[in-house]
Amino acid sequence: MEDQRILITGGAGFIGSHVVEHMVKSYPNYKIVNLDALTYAGNLENLKSVEGAENYHFVKGDICDAEILKELFEKEKFTGVIHLAAESHVDRSITNPLEFIQTNVLGTVNLMQAAMNAWKDDFEGKRFYHISTDEVYGSLGKEGLFKESTPYDPKSPYSASKAGSDHFVRAYANTYGFPVVISNCSNNYGPRQFPEKLIPLFINNIRHMQPLPVYGDGQYIRDWLHVHDHAKAIDKVYHEGKLGETYNIGGWNEWANIDLIHVLIKEVDAQLGRDSGASESLITFVKDRPGHDKRYAIDAQKIKDDLGWTPDYTFEEGLKETVAWYLENTEWLDHVTSGAYQDYYSKQYASE
Ligand code: NAD
Ligand code: DAU
């Protein structure tokens, strides 16, 4: 691909900040524009490493704001979009579903419409890459893996809103010939994940000797992938993915929550210089997440076969490095968990 001008949405959040960092550093001849509304989950501290880069520009704005998008597309003449901006936390979707429909469904359609208008039906050399999740496929039993052909069966307001956005993206491709590619990834972990999600929340709570709230019996299963491996997969799909195709991305790395939590406790205790298992007593079984999906697991064979992508990180090294990052960046943790986070936390875990 010749030089690109790429709009990345949601670039000051967890995965988006890694994608921006990766693209800015890997492609100095590209222009990367990061559009982010900086909700509670977005934080410019995440992008300190590229803030002065010549090929990078940040714009604060909402993907639901058609005017901002129109101006931005006119000014920057984007050749591509990598769309990550979203409300991303399942628990928040249970208490506030409308926000998820607004950003994830309406925001995505608004963004595609802005690209359609700017590209004026001339899609040559253009692409719109929509980042989605494995949760759209619903929940697995003990056996089986999500494939690209697995029927959609979303079960939470979050996954329903992501499924809705995926449907609109495919509908735009089918109806208007809009040049799209989609990927659906499993659970990411790594530096800069907002500490409402399992791994950073538990690291922070272990650090403060606070209870570790395990939902239900802790036997729910997730497939974990390091965020750097996801960023590399996104680069591959953006550059080499076939238009109109979907790629599942996963780590071949399934863990029952409770088993992962024991390993995490061991690692955090070791890095904090505590006796092995000292924080085990913090484990607290709490009431389950309503409609909790039992198991997610991705079949990532297609992206491996077609694009030659496989994860670089082993979970052992990834988790060790992740724990070290949070324990070295306590200022970041303290910053993002101050203010509104306290209010969220006390409501979410009220009865514990
Ligand atoms: P995140 O919550 O950490 O970041 C989301 C970012 O989007 C934030 O910077 C936020 O400010 C921004 N944003 C929210 N609403 C916006 C709006 N209306 N306009 C502009 N910006 C807005 O999310 P994440 O975990 O980094 O996830 C990024 C994307 O990847 C999401 O689309 C999510 O569905 C998908 N995904 C996440 C995972 C995961 O494990 N975290 C796995 C698969 C797919
Ligand atoms: O599968 C991809 C999805 O992974 C992404 O699309 C979502 O954006 C991302 O948030 C993540 O969703 P999960 O719901 O799987 O992630 P979370 O970290 O919230 O929870 C992981 C598991 O841990 C899940 O089974 C619920 C459980 N859990 C979570 C929290 C926050 C607990 O037991 N206690 C908790 O306090």
Side-chain angles (χ1 to χ4, degrees):
M1 273 186 195
E2 77 279 10
D3 292 356
Q4 295 267 328
R5 304 176 68 81
I6 305 176
L7 173 64
I8 298 182
T9 68
F14 168 47
I15 302 171
S17 66
H18 288 278
V19 173
V20 167
E21 203 171 42
H22 173 85
M23 297 297 281
V24 167
K25 290 181 177 169
S26 306
Y27 302 99
N29 50 331
Y30 287 12
K31 168 96 182 264
I32 303 294
V33 176
N34 170 18
L35 175 72
D36 197 296
L38 299 182
T39 67
Y40 79 92
N43 182 354
L44 286 178
E45 282 177 50
N46 291 343
L47 283 171
K48 277 211 153 67
S49 70
V50 295
E51 67 188 5
E54 276 183 18
N55 61 337
Y56 170 68
H57 181 55
F58 172 73
V59 177
K60 184 174 187 304
D62 191 327
I63 54 166
C64 299
D65 183 340
E67 209 41 50
I68 284 193
L69 294 179
K70 183 167 181 280
E71 280 169 25
L72 208 51
F73 271 88
E74 271 169 13
K75 178 168 171 236
E76 300 287 356
K77 312 234 173 315
F78 296 118
T79 51
V81 177
I82 304 178
H83 173 40
L84 296 110
E87 288 293 336
S88 69
H89 191 38
V90 174
D91 292 327
R92 289 185 191 252
S93 82
I94 293 168
T95 47
N96 201 350
L98 289 179
E99 259 181 22
F100 283 67
I101 299 164
Q102 176 72 24
T103 291
N104 298 359
V105 184
L106 294 177
T108 298
V109 176
N110 198 39
L111 185 61
M112 284 195 293
Q113 202 52 52
M116 288 259 297
N117 295 342
W119 293 340
K120 297 190 173 43
D121 297 339
D122 177 9
F123 300 138
E124 188 56 40
K126 310 285 195 314
R127 60 174 50 204
F128 184 97
Y129 179 8
H130 177 63
I131 307 298
S132 192
T133 170
D134 61 358
E135 301 201 10
V136 297
Y137 299 119
S139 180
L140 290 164
K142 283 200 170 65
E143 302 292 322
L145 299 170
F146 294 135
K147 297 179 185 304
E148 288 79 2
S149 56
T150 302
Y152 274 31
D153 187 19
K155 295 189 182 299
S156 74
Y158 164 68
S159 53
S161 70
K162 291 296 290 186
S165 63
D166 293 12
H167 286 322
F168 270 103
V169 171
R170 293 196 180 96
Y172 267 56
N174 181 62
T175 309
Y176 309 112
F178 192 57
V180 308
V181 62
I182 300 181
S183 60
N184 296 73
C185 189
S186 60
N187 286 60
N188 284 213
Y189 71 98
R192 309 199 289 258
Q193 184 169 33
F194 196 80
E196 63 190 351
K197 310 278 167 61
L198 181 74
I199 290 180
L201 170 69
F202 276 36
I203 295 172
N204 198 33
N205 283 14
I206 296 169
R207 179 182 154 229
H208 290 296
M209 293 301 281
Q210 294 288 321
L212 304 176
V214 182
Y215 294 160
D217 60 6
Q219 294 302 331
Y220 295 88
I221 294 172
R222 297 292 183 265
D223 164 26
W224 293 92
L225 178 72
H226 195 282
V227 66
H228 286 165
D229 283 323
H230 191 191
K232 282 190 190 165
I234 288 173
D235 177 346
K236 276 256 175 213
V237 173
Y238 181 78
H239 287 100
E240 298 168 37
K242 211 169 143 205
L243 286 179
E245 294 284 319
T246 295
Y247 297 88
N248 280 357
I249 304 170
W252 304 103
N253 179 37
E254 288 183 54
W255 285 83
N257 291 340
I258 193 68
D259 296 336
L260 187 157
I261 288 161
H262 289 311
V263 171
L264 185 64
I265 289 172
K266 199 159 175 237
E267 186 59 41
V268 180
D269 277 346
Q271 292 197 26
L272 285 172
R274 292 183 190 159
D275 290 344
S276 183
S279 306
E280 282 281 329
S281 60
L282 298 174
I283 290 179
T284 312
F285 289 92
V286 301
K287 75 172 181 309
D288 213 345
R289 172 184 281 175
H292 201 163
D293 287 337
K294 185 70 192 165
R295 173 172 167 254
Y296 306 144
I298 280 277
D299 180 347
Q301 199 61 37
K302 177 176 171 180
I303 187 170
K304 181 175 181 215
D305 291 346
D306 293 5
L307 306 183
W309 174 88
T310 48
D312 291 334
Y313 274 83
T314 65
F315 193 53
E316 198 187 358
E317 65 182 331
L319 198 66
K320 197 184 265 286
E321 187 197 281
T322 298
V323 168
W325 187 88
Y326 287 97
L327 297 182
E328 278 159 20
N329 289 274
T330 49
E331 211 174 289
W332 181 94
L333 264 176
D334 292 343
H335 183 192
V336 301
T337 54
S338 65
Y341 177 83
Q342 296 298 336
D343 189 40
Y344 160 78
Y345 196 89
S346 55
K347 282 189 186 129
Q348 174 63 23
Y349 298 99
S351 58
E352 316 317 332

